[in-house]
């Protein structure tokens, strides 16, 4: 977790100290910052950009398959479709990630990242971006590349001053993840989606680049996060709320926060205590009223308010008269039937 100091305010986070430098808005963070990625929220992007929290990277069968299959797709595009593919090694040499620190756009302040490959059309002389994807979710691609993938390629296309970008997608099955080295790209398992920045995103700078820069200025540079969602952002929030006590001053903050919260809870309980006590009395009255409606063959009754339904059920159970049992030793003869009534409250569904 980060060394950044921060505190919670309502449903966002405020940095008490800023990092020496921010991470860049790469293509994978670009759509998410704009709220256009179903898997990553703007809050999570902010956490990454400010070095406040980022999900630890762990290889999975999906990432491993992607690493193994991507070079196969590059070769497939070059040999079958004559795209004259250029890969990062061709430009930056071996260990290109270490040499570039994972950023091919050092002259850009906000945006950065690494493209998968570049292509060149000999007939038109046009250069273009190639963004390679492997997926098991073919259903997501029935109308073309998902928007957040298109925006990844579109960003690199924009940063390079190009217009065309191509997204090859290989649709994998379980066997491909088990043995990715045996995968062979073909027209049966790999589709190629071609796009144009000028045609598909004619107002790209105004509708995407500008809002992304506004996000950067409003949230990243200010150190004040976008609002988080307790459910969707549960993982980073759990990590951020786990306080790492480094020294006494940090522990003093923990004690102060505990004290403040406890006072709030105590004040709240004092405020609602009369209402809680009255509810107990009211439930007893309602329970008595419903119980009086029961006849010998009645097992159920209910009453409704504007927001709740109170249901009472009757059940019978056998119990033993222990005194007579001791005197007589006969269970069946001296067993008796008693009745119990249970009242349950359920919130009504709102219209």
């Amino acid at each position: 977790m980060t060394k950044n100091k921060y505190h919670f305010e309502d449903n966002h986070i405020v940095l008490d100290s800023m990092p020496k430098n921010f991470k860049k808005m790469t293509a994978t963070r670009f759509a998410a910052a704009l709220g256009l990625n179903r898997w990553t929220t703007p809050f999570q992007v902010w956490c990454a950009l400010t070095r406040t929290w980022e999900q630890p990277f762990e290889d999975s069968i999906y990432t491993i398959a992607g690493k193994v299959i991507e070079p196969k797709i590059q070769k497939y595009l070059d040999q079958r479709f004559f795209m004259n593919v250029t890969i990062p090694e061709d430009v930056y040499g071996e260990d290109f990630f270490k040499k570039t620190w994972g950023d091919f756009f050092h002259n850009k302040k906000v945006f950065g990242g690494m493209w998968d490959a570049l292509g060149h059309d000999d007939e038109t002389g046009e250069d273009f971006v190639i963004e390679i994807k492997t997926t098991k979710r073919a259903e997501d691609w029935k109308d073309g590349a998902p928007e957040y993938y298109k925006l990844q390629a579109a960003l690199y296309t924009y940063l390079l001053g190009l217009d065309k970008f191509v997204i090859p997608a290989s649709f994998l099955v379980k066997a491909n993840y088990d043995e990715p080295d045996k995968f062979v790209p073909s027209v049966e398992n790999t589709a190629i989606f071609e796009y144009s920045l000028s045609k598909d995103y004619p107002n790209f700078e105004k509708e995407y680049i500008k809002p992304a820069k506004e996000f950067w200025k409003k949230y990243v540079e200010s150190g004040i996060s976008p609002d988080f969602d307790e459910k969707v952002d549960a993982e980073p929030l759990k990590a951020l709320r786990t306080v790492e006590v480094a020294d006494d001053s940090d522990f003093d903050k923990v004690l102060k926060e505990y004290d403040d919260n406890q006072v709030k809870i105590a004040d709240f309980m004092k405020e609602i205590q009369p209402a809680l006590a009255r509810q107990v009395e009211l439930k007893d009255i309602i329970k008595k009223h419903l119980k009086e409606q029961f006849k010998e063959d009645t097992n159920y009754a209910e009453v409704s308010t504007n927001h709740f339904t109170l249901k009472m059920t009757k059940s019978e159970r056998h119990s033993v008269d222990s005194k007579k049992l001791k005197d007589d030793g006969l269970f069946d003869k001296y067993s008796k039937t008693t009745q119990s009534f249970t009242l349950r409250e359920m919130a009504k569904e709102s219209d």
Side-chain angles (χ1 to χ4, degrees):
M1 193 162 71
T2 180
K3 299 291 185 180
N4 286 351
K5 303 291 185 181
Y6 55 86
H7 64 275
F8 284 78
E9 286 187 5
D10 298 324
N11 57 337
H12 59 266
I13 289 176
V14 178
L15 295 183
D16 299 321
S17 62
M18 303 291 275
K20 292 182 179 179
N21 52 71
F22 302 113
K23 289 191 174 183
K24 284 191 173 185
M25 192 179 294
T26 59
T28 53
R29 296 172 183 145
F30 178 55
L34 300 175
L36 299 173
N37 188 326
R38 61 190 290 190
W39 312 110
T40 307
T41 67
F43 174 74
Q44 292 169 23
V45 172
W46 177 87
C47 288
L49 294 174
T50 58
R51 302 178 184 272
T52 304
W53 175 89
E54 193 164 18
Q55 188 174 38
F57 176 79
E58 294 182 2
D59 262 324
S60 64
I61 58 172
Y62 306 109
T63 59
I64 292 172
K67 291 176 183 178
V68 173
I69 293 173
E70 184 174 313
K72 294 173 178 284
I73 299 174
Q74 292 169 347
K75 188 174 181 180
Y76 172 71
L77 297 174
D78 205 5
Q79 294 180 345
R80 182 178 178 85
F81 296 96
F82 308 104
M83 289 190 179
N84 295 313
V85 176
T86 298
I87 59 177
E89 286 89 343
D90 296 332
V91 178
Y92 301 102
E94 294 184 4
D95 297 325
F96 67 89
F97 185 88
K98 292 181 179 179
K99 292 178 180 178
T100 63
W101 296 89
D103 181 21
F104 297 166
F105 304 92
H106 287 289
N107 61 328
K108 305 293 183 183
K109 176 185 176 182
V110 175
F111 304 106
M114 303 181 294
W115 38 262
D116 290 339
L118 301 176
H120 179 78
D121 188 326
D122 286 335
E123 291 186 6
T124 64
E126 184 178 21
D127 294 320
F128 51 91
V129 168
I130 300 173
E131 184 72 21
I132 299 171
K133 300 298 177 185
T134 57
T135 180
K136 66 175 183 177
R137 296 179 58 86
E139 64 272 20
D140 293 346
W141 295 72
K142 61 182 180 179
D143 297 320
E147 188 68 11
Y148 49 91
Y149 286 152
K150 284 177 64 178
L151 288 173
Q152 286 182 24
L155 176 63
Y156 291 146
T157 303
Y158 171 83
L159 295 177
L160 290 168
L162 303 176
D163 181 65
K164 180 181 176 181
F165 57 96
V166 175
I167 304 179
S170 287
F171 303 103
L172 310 185
V173 295
K174 185 178 182 302
N176 302 139
Y177 292 108
D178 293 337
E179 298 179 296
D181 55 305
K182 293 185 178 180
F183 178 81
V184 178
S186 67
V187 292
E188 284 77 25
N189 58 33
T190 301
I192 299 175
F193 302 88
E194 297 187 12
Y195 300 100
S196 164
L197 203 60
S198 59
K199 293 179 181 178
D200 293 278
Y201 298 103
N203 299 310
F204 188 72
E205 186 164 350
K206 178 182 178 181
E207 296 179 357
Y208 297 94
I209 295 298
K210 185 178 179 181
K213 288 183 177 180
E214 290 173 351
F215 177 94
W216 182 274
K217 184 176 181 180
K218 181 178 180 180
Y219 298 115
V220 178
E221 291 184 344
S222 72
I224 302 174
S225 79
D227 288 346
F228 54 71
D229 182 294
E230 289 286 354
K231 184 177 181 180
V232 180
D233 298 312
E235 184 177 2
L237 290 174
K238 180 180 179 181
L240 292 169
R241 284 169 173 155
T242 302
V243 181
E244 294 182 351
V245 180
D247 51 41
D248 290 340
S249 63
D250 282 343
F251 189 63
D252 288 342
K253 290 181 180 179
V254 172
L255 291 177
K256 184 180 184 308
E257 183 179 354
Y258 172 85
D259 185 75
D260 290 342
N261 282 338
Q262 198 62 26
V263 169
K264 290 179 183 178
I265 293 171
D267 290 343
F268 176 71
M269 291 304 296
K270 286 180 182 178
E271 184 178 337
I272 69 168
Q273 196 61 46
L276 291 174
R278 181 56 178 162
Q279 282 300 86
V280 172
E281 296 174 355
L282 294 172
K283 280 191 175 182
D284 286 340
I285 295 171
I286 294 170
K287 188 173 181 179
K288 181 180 178 181
H289 172 80
L290 290 177
K291 187 176 179 181
E292 290 173 350
Q293 299 181 35
F294 278 71
K295 297 179 180 179
E296 187 175 344
D297 59 345
T298 304
N299 295 311
Y300 170 87
E302 73 175 37
V303 66
S304 290
T305 68
N306 288 337
H307 300 97
F308 300 94
T309 298
L310 294 95
K311 296 182 178 181
M312 176 175 281
T313 57
K314 180 178 72 175
S315 61
E316 296 183 348
R317 66 183 179 87
H318 292 281
S319 61
V320 175
D321 188 322
S322 58
K323 185 177 183 305
K324 291 186 178 181
L325 182 64
K326 290 177 182 179
D327 294 342
D328 209 74
L330 300 176
F331 175 85
D332 292 334
K333 183 176 181 179
Y334 296 110
S335 66
K336 59 182 182 181
T337 299
T338 60
Q339 296 180 340
S340 64
F341 296 85
T342 303
L343 179 64
R344 293 184 173 89
E345 174 189 282
M346 290 167 288
K348 291 182 176 179
E349 293 185 4
S350 57
D351 296 332

Short mmCIF file of all heavy atoms in Angstrom, two decimals, residues 277-298:
data_model
loop_
_atom_site.label_atom_id
_atom_site.label_comp_id
_atom_site.label_asym_id
_atom_site.label_seq_id
_atom_site.Cartn_x
_atom_site.Cartn_y
_atom_site.Cartn_z
N ALA A 277 -37.34 2.14 22.52
CA ALA A 277 -38.16 1.67 23.64
C ALA A 277 -39.64 1.70 23.29
O ALA A 277 -40.40 0.78 23.61
CB ALA A 277 -37.89 2.54 24.88
N ARG A 278 -40.04 2.77 22.58
CA ARG A 278 -41.44 2.88 22.18
C ARG A 278 -41.82 1.80 21.18
O ARG A 278 -42.93 1.26 21.22
CB ARG A 278 -41.71 4.27 21.59
CG ARG A 278 -43.14 4.51 21.16
CD ARG A 278 -44.12 4.27 22.29
NE ARG A 278 -45.50 4.54 21.86
CZ ARG A 278 -46.57 4.10 22.50
NH1 ARG A 278 -46.44 3.35 23.61
NH2 ARG A 278 -47.78 4.39 22.06
N GLN A 279 -40.90 1.45 20.31
CA GLN A 279 -41.17 0.40 19.32
C GLN A 279 -41.44 -0.93 20.01
O GLN A 279 -42.28 -1.72 19.56
CB GLN A 279 -40.00 0.26 18.34
CG GLN A 279 -39.92 1.31 17.25
CD GLN A 279 -41.15 1.34 16.36
OE1 GLN A 279 -42.13 2.01 16.69
NE2 GLN A 279 -41.10 0.62 15.25
N VAL A 280 -40.72 -1.21 21.08
CA VAL A 280 -40.95 -2.44 21.83
C VAL A 280 -42.38 -2.45 22.38
O VAL A 280 -43.09 -3.47 22.31
CB VAL A 280 -39.93 -2.58 22.97
CG1 VAL A 280 -40.28 -3.77 23.87
CG2 VAL A 280 -38.52 -2.76 22.40
N GLU A 281 -42.79 -1.31 22.94
CA GLU A 281 -44.15 -1.21 23.47
C GLU A 281 -45.19 -1.37 22.37
O GLU A 281 -46.20 -2.07 22.53
CB GLU A 281 -44.34 0.16 24.15
CG GLU A 281 -43.45 0.36 25.38
CD GLU A 281 -43.57 1.77 25.93
OE1 GLU A 281 -44.26 2.60 25.29
OE2 GLU A 281 -42.97 2.04 27.00
N LEU A 282 -44.95 -0.72 21.23
CA LEU A 282 -45.90 -0.79 20.12
C LEU A 282 -46.00 -2.20 19.56
O LEU A 282 -47.10 -2.67 19.21
CB LEU A 282 -45.48 0.18 19.02
CG LEU A 282 -45.55 1.67 19.38
CD1 LEU A 282 -44.94 2.51 18.27
CD2 LEU A 282 -47.00 2.09 19.62
N LYS A 283 -44.88 -2.90 19.48
CA LYS A 283 -44.91 -4.28 18.98
C LYS A 283 -45.72 -5.18 19.92
O LYS A 283 -46.43 -6.09 19.48
CB LYS A 283 -43.49 -4.82 18.81
CG LYS A 283 -42.82 -4.35 17.53
CD LYS A 283 -41.53 -5.11 17.29
CE LYS A 283 -40.94 -4.71 15.94
NZ LYS A 283 -39.69 -5.46 15.64
N ASP A 284 -45.59 -4.93 21.23
CA ASP A 284 -46.37 -5.72 22.19
C ASP A 284 -47.87 -5.48 21.99
O ASP A 284 -48.67 -6.41 22.06
CB ASP A 284 -45.97 -5.35 23.62
CG ASP A 284 -44.61 -5.93 24.01
OD1 ASP A 284 -44.18 -6.89 23.32
OD2 ASP A 284 -43.99 -5.42 24.96
N ILE A 285 -48.24 -4.21 21.73
CA ILE A 285 -49.65 -3.89 21.50
C ILE A 285 -50.15 -4.56 20.23
O ILE A 285 -51.24 -5.14 20.18
CB ILE A 285 -49.85 -2.36 21.41
CG1 ILE A 285 -49.52 -1.70 22.76
CG2 ILE A 285 -51.28 -2.02 20.98
CD1 ILE A 285 -49.48 -0.19 22.70
N ILE A 286 -49.36 -4.47 19.17
CA ILE A 286 -49.74 -5.09 17.88
C ILE A 286 -49.84 -6.61 18.03
O ILE A 286 -50.77 -7.24 17.51
CB ILE A 286 -48.72 -4.71 16.79
CG1 ILE A 286 -48.78 -3.20 16.52
CG2 ILE A 286 -48.99 -5.48 15.50
CD1 ILE A 286 -47.66 -2.68 15.65
N LYS A 287 -48.87 -7.18 18.75
CA LYS A 287 -48.86 -8.63 18.94
C LYS A 287 -50.12 -9.07 19.70
O LYS A 287 -50.76 -10.07 19.36
CB LYS A 287 -47.61 -9.04 19.70
CG LYS A 287 -47.39 -10.54 19.78
CD LYS A 287 -46.05 -10.87 20.39
CE LYS A 287 -45.83 -12.37 20.44
NZ LYS A 287 -44.50 -12.71 21.03
N LYS A 288 -50.49 -8.30 20.73
CA LYS A 288 -51.69 -8.62 21.51
C LYS A 288 -52.93 -8.53 20.64
O LYS A 288 -53.83 -9.39 20.70
CB LYS A 288 -51.79 -7.67 22.71
CG LYS A 288 -52.99 -7.95 23.60
CD LYS A 288 -53.05 -6.97 24.77
CE LYS A 288 -54.28 -7.21 25.62
NZ LYS A 288 -54.36 -6.25 26.75
N HIS A 289 -53.00 -7.47 19.82
CA HIS A 289 -54.15 -7.28 18.94
C HIS A 289 -54.29 -8.45 17.96
O HIS A 289 -55.39 -8.98 17.76
CB HIS A 289 -53.99 -5.96 18.17
CG HIS A 289 -55.03 -5.77 17.10
ND1 HIS A 289 -56.30 -5.34 17.38
CD2 HIS A 289 -54.97 -5.96 15.75
CE1 HIS A 289 -57.00 -5.28 16.26
NE2 HIS A 289 -56.21 -5.64 15.26
N LEU A 290 -53.19 -8.84 17.33
CA LEU A 290 -53.26 -9.93 16.36
C LEU A 290 -53.57 -11.26 17.04
O LEU A 290 -54.29 -12.10 16.50
CB LEU A 290 -51.94 -10.02 15.59
CG LEU A 290 -51.65 -8.88 14.60
CD1 LEU A 290 -50.28 -9.06 13.98
CD2 LEU A 290 -52.73 -8.82 13.52
N LYS A 291 -53.01 -11.44 18.23
CA LYS A 291 -53.23 -12.70 18.95
C LYS A 291 -54.71 -12.90 19.27
O LYS A 291 -55.24 -14.02 19.23
CB LYS A 291 -52.40 -12.69 20.22
CG LYS A 291 -52.40 -14.02 20.97
CD LYS A 291 -51.46 -13.96 22.17
CE LYS A 291 -51.46 -15.27 22.94
NZ LYS A 291 -50.55 -15.19 24.12
N GLU A 292 -55.41 -11.79 19.55
CA GLU A 292 -56.83 -11.87 19.88
C GLU A 292 -57.66 -12.29 18.67
O GLU A 292 -58.81 -12.73 18.83
CB GLU A 292 -57.31 -10.51 20.39
CG GLU A 292 -56.76 -10.16 21.77
CD GLU A 292 -57.12 -8.74 22.20
OE1 GLU A 292 -57.63 -7.98 21.32
OE2 GLU A 292 -56.88 -8.38 23.37
N GLN A 293 -57.12 -12.15 17.46
CA GLN A 293 -57.85 -12.54 16.26
C GLN A 293 -57.76 -14.03 15.96
O GLN A 293 -58.48 -14.56 15.12
CB GLN A 293 -57.34 -11.74 15.05
CG GLN A 293 -57.50 -10.23 15.19
CD GLN A 293 -57.00 -9.50 13.97
OE1 GLN A 293 -57.13 -9.99 12.85
NE2 GLN A 293 -56.42 -8.34 14.18
N PHE A 294 -56.83 -14.70 16.63
CA PHE A 294 -56.62 -16.12 16.36
C PHE A 294 -57.76 -16.95 16.95
O PHE A 294 -58.21 -16.72 18.08
CB PHE A 294 -55.29 -16.58 16.95
CG PHE A 294 -54.10 -16.29 16.08
CD1 PHE A 294 -53.65 -14.99 15.92
CD2 PHE A 294 -53.45 -17.31 15.42
CE1 PHE A 294 -52.57 -14.71 15.13
CE2 PHE A 294 -52.35 -17.04 14.62
CZ PHE A 294 -51.91 -15.74 14.47
N LYS A 295 -58.21 -17.93 16.16
CA LYS A 295 -59.15 -18.93 16.64
C LYS A 295 -58.42 -20.26 16.72
O LYS A 295 -57.23 -20.35 16.42
CB LYS A 295 -60.35 -19.00 15.71
CG LYS A 295 -61.14 -17.69 15.64
CD LYS A 295 -62.32 -17.81 14.69
CE LYS A 295 -63.09 -16.49 14.63
NZ LYS A 295 -64.24 -16.56 13.69
N GLU A 296 -59.14 -21.30 17.07
CA GLU A 296 -58.49 -22.59 17.25
C GLU A 296 -57.81 -23.09 15.99
O GLU A 296 -56.74 -23.68 16.04
CB GLU A 296 -59.53 -23.62 17.72
CG GLU A 296 -58.89 -24.95 18.09
CD GLU A 296 -59.89 -25.92 18.66
OE1 GLU A 296 -61.00 -25.47 19.06
OE2 GLU A 296 -59.58 -27.11 18.72
N ASP A 297 -58.42 -22.80 14.83
CA ASP A 297 -57.86 -23.28 13.57
C ASP A 297 -57.08 -22.20 12.82
O ASP A 297 -56.73 -22.34 11.65
CB ASP A 297 -58.97 -23.83 12.66
CG ASP A 297 -60.02 -22.77 12.35
OD1 ASP A 297 -60.04 -21.73 13.05
OD2 ASP A 297 -60.82 -22.99 11.42
N THR A 298 -56.80 -21.06 13.49
CA THR A 298 -56.07 -19.96 12.85
C THR A 298 -54.57 -20.08 13.14
O THR A 298 -54.17 -20.28 14.28
CB THR A 298 -56.56 -18.60 13.38
OG1 THR A 298 -57.97 -18.51 13.15
CG2 THR A 298 -55.86 -17.46 12.65
#
